[in-house]
């Protein structure tokens, strides 16, 4: 008996002593920006799902945790490009997998969630709140949960209540994704080591704008975002975030919001003061939230581009912006360029896997005549008959799921895509063997130019085209957003104190 007792005691100590004080952090994530105006749903096959060690590869935050000697338990990280609402089964299968991994994980000190923030799943009012509720049910309140977001997330107070730390990108166009994820993880580790119990104060500010009116490097957001690191440096405050929100998700939580993270309960009044200060400044400056580039209809944008002395003019087909969940197969701008006889232009690109297949069958250097586009967006788009020469067909890349083709039409190089994506950087053009600066007009399916193109574009015009990401949001058939909201209800009154009473 005695020896058995000693053996048990030894086993007990060796288990508890195995990794003394070693923190255990579990990670998970469902990243999606759901556009409820796009009727085509996002399904499991649209997601790139990473599990286990694949989650950690090449991630700065994972490298940090490793260097700090922290045990990481990666579960499921699912990521899909912006598109229609996520089907219920897909969301539920991700949630089940995350919850079952949590229940198998044993002791967990903290959880890091890698989110976008604008997830909307069929059958759920607020799938992100459902996710955090399900996680809390499993781990209780003692485990700290830190989450990082794209600032285009739509945050609800219920969701935020389940989180100890919220941190969002501070740049739009985004250049600080990796930095933000690292910050979420560092804050979590600091809080665990210092035995803090952070709490987040949150407010939905009733402002609904497209991201193109919420650029962080121009006023009025510039000076607001510049305050965030200063607030985060204050004693007792861990971080502060401003969400621009996602206006093409028709849900009550859509719109701008602000969060300040208090180190613990003691600093909640201070965090609330900062929240009040930021929210009031944002509200007072709301009329300054405007597009930072010229906008026009297709005809006007092309006119201006042709008359411009700029060597290259980027025209963004903003209604069909795939980075905001639109279809990417609208042919309106291409049709207009062809009808007007414009030459020396690129249209990059139009999503049409069948057309890419036809190019492959025809072969490089051969003539092709076919109908393209208008298959996904059948509401605003229509197909277009084209004739040209196949210039290039790339090999399928299983990692990126890409297989672009280039067809030369009368003076216009058209990129056809198998995948829904926008050309956001010079690298995207390199991949198809084109240099955008060799052309007078470059049409891309974006709202604002992402930073890589911004850096090289001599001039940009945003074409206010129809599509599932219509920039004229006042024309959208909203049914579920909270009203009143600025600028749809332009004369509305709002006050931070009254809202918090
Ligand atoms: Zn974003």
């Amino acid at each position: 008996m005695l020896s058995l007792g000693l053996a048990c005691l030894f086993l007990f100590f060796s288990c508890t002593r195995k990794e003394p004080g070693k923190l255990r952090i579990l990670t998970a994530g469902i990243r999606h920006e759901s556009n409820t105006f796009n009727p085509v749903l996002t399904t499991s096959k649209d997601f790139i799902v990473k599990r286990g060690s694949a989650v950690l590869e090449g991630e700065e935050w994972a490298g940090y945790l490793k260097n700090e000697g922290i045990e990481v338990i990666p579960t499921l990280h699912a990521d899909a490009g912006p598109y229609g609402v996520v089907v219920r089964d897909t969301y539920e299968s991700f949630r089940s997998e995350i919850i079952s991994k949590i229940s198998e994980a044993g002791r967990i000190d903290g959880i890091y969630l890698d989110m976008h923030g604008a997830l909307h799943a069929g059958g759920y009012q607020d799938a992100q709140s459902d996710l955090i509720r399900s996680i809390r049910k499993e781990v209780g309140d003692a485990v700290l949960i830190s989450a990082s977001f794209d600032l285009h997330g739509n945050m609800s107070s219920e969701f935020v209540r389940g989180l100890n730390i919220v941190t969002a990108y501070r740049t739009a166009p985004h250049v600080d994704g990796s930095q933000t994820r690292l910050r979420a993880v560092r804050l979590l580790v600091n809080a665990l080591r210092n035995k803090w119990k952070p709490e987040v104060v949150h407010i939905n500010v009733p402002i609904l704008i497209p991201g193109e009116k919420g650029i962080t490097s121009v006023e009025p957001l510039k000076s607001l975002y510049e305050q965030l690191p200063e607030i985060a440096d204050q004693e007792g405050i861990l971080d502060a975030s401003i969400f621009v929100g996602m206006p093409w998700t028709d849900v009550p939580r859509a719109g701008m919001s602000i969060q300040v993270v208090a180190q613990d309960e003691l600093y909640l009044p201070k965090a609330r003061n900062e929240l009040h200060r930021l929210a009031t400044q944002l509200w007072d400056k709301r009329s300054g939230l405007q597009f930072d580039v010229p906008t026009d209809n297709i005809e006007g944008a092309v006119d201006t581009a042709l008359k411009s002395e700029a060597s290259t003019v980027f025209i963004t087909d903003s209604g069909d912006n795939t980075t905001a969940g639109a279809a990417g197969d609208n042919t309106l701008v291409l049709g207009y360029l062809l009808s007007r006889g414009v030459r020396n232009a690129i249209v990059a690109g139009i999503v049409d896997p069948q057309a890419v297949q036809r190019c492959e069958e025809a072969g490089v250097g051969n003539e092709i005549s076919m109908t393209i586009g208008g298959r996904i967006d059948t509401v605003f788009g229509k197909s277009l008959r084209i004739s040209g020469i196949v210039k290039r067909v790339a090999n399928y890349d299983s990692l990126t799921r890409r297989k672009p083709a280039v067809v030369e039409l009368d003076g216009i190089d058209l990129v056809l895509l198998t995948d829904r994506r926008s050309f956001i950087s010079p690298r995207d053009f390199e991949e198809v063997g084109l240099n955008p600066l060799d052309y007078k007009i470059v049409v891309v399916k974006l709202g604002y130019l992402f930073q890589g193109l911004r850096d090289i574009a001599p001039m940009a015009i945003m074409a206010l085209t129809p599509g599932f990401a219509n920039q004229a949001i006042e024309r959208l058939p909203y049914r579920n957003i909270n009203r009143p909201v600025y600028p749809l209800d332009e004369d509305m009154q709002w006050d931070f104190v009254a809202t918090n009473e």
Side-chain angles (χ1 to χ4, degrees), residues 117 125-130 132-133 149 153-163 166 200 202-204 243 251-259 482:
Q125 284 289 323
D126 183 355
Q128 296 178 143
S129 293
D130 173 74
I132 199 69
R133 256 197 322 272
F149 297 91
N154 291 319
M155 305 293 281
S156 68
S157 52
E158 196 189 0
F159 177 36
V160 172
R161 215 175 296 133
L163 300 167
V166 166
V200 186
H202 157 96
I203 183 111
N204 290 98
F243 282 75
V251 291
R253 60 189 178 280
M256 298 194 76
S257 67
I258 305 178
Q259 295 75 23
N482 263 343

Side-chain angles (χ1 to χ4, degrees), residues 210 212-213 291-298 301 314-319 321 446-449 460-465 471:
E212 284 65 24
K213 290 185 177 176
F291 298 126
D292 80 321
V293 291
T295 60
D296 212 329
N297 55 27
I298 301 173
F314 282 76
I315 296 178
T316 58
D317 181 1
S318 64
N321 171 11
L446 288 173
Y448 55 50
L449 286 185
I461 306 171
M462 188 161 70
L464 299 175
T465 48
Q471 290 285 332

Side-chain angles (χ1 to χ4, degrees), residues 33 116 150-152 169 174 448:
E33 189 175 39
H116 176 283
D150 182 311
L151 59 77
H152 295 121
Y169 296 175
H174 310 312
Y448 55 50

Side-chain angles (χ1 to χ4, degrees), residues 206-224:
I207 299 175
L208 189 69
I209 51 163
E212 284 65 24
K213 290 185 177 176
I215 293 173
T216 56
S217 57
V218 299
E219 293 297 353
L221 290 189
K222 183 172 183 281
S223 47
L224 279 158

Side-chain angles (χ1 to χ4, degrees), residues 14 19 34 102 166 217 261 312 356 370 381 383 464:
S14 60
E19 284 167 341
S34 314
I102 291 174
V166 166
S217 57
V261 185
T312 300
V356 173
M370 62 181 165
S383 56
L464 299 175

Side-chain angles (χ1 to χ4, degrees), residues 288-307:
L289 296 163
Q290 299 297 341
F291 298 126
D292 80 321
V293 291
T295 60
D296 212 329
N297 55 27
I298 301 173
E299 297 81 358
V302 173
D303 258 348
T304 308
L306 291 175
K307 285 178 195 152

